[in-house]
Amino acid sequence: IAQFHHERWDGRGYLAGLREKEIPLAARIVAVADVYDALTSARTYKHAWTAEEARDLIVEQAGHQFDPHIVRAFVSCFYELKRIRQR
């Protein structure tokens, strides 16, 4: 998972330049979760995005950066994920 979660659905990622289903399923899932967490978390160098801003970027990147099927699953449980994070 750690090795492949920076691959992109369109093949423009790294380390190996894998694309689509060449990327292990777990890494495709973690790619979405990692970006959502990174965007919605405050860092010393950036403010936290709202959950909706992060969701919108992830949806925009479906088929490019992210597996569209994983993005659909993410969107289908978005409000539950948001509630969990707020706790």
Side-chain angles (χ1 to χ4, degrees):
I1 295 168
Q3 182 176 359
F4 298 116
H5 79 286
H6 286 265
E7 299 289 350
R8 291 175 51 109
W9 186 251
D10 62 12
R12 296 185 304 139
Y14 63 92
L15 295 165
L18 301 178
R19 63 181 301 124
E20 298 183 0
K21 294 194 177 181
E22 294 172 342
I23 305 165
L25 176 60
R28 288 182 269 148
I29 294 167
V30 168
V32 171
D34 183 52
V35 168
Y36 179 73
D37 178 64
L39 292 175
T40 59
S41 298
R43 303 284 191 250
T44 57
Y45 53 87
K46 71 164 199 71
H47 71 280
W49 291 26
T50 68
E52 290 76 16
E53 289 170 326
R55 177 202 56 209
D56 293 348
L57 177 103
I58 289 168
V59 167
E60 178 183 304
Q61 288 299 310
H64 302 286
Q65 184 172 354
F66 305 115
D67 178 339
H69 297 97
I70 303 302
V71 172
R72 279 195 293 279
F74 167 76
V75 169
S76 74
C77 61
F78 172 74
Y79 291 105
E80 180 62 21
L81 292 171
K82 186 177 171 183
R83 279 192 296 274
I84 290 168
R85 185 172 182 102
Q86 288 172 337
R87 281 193 259 156

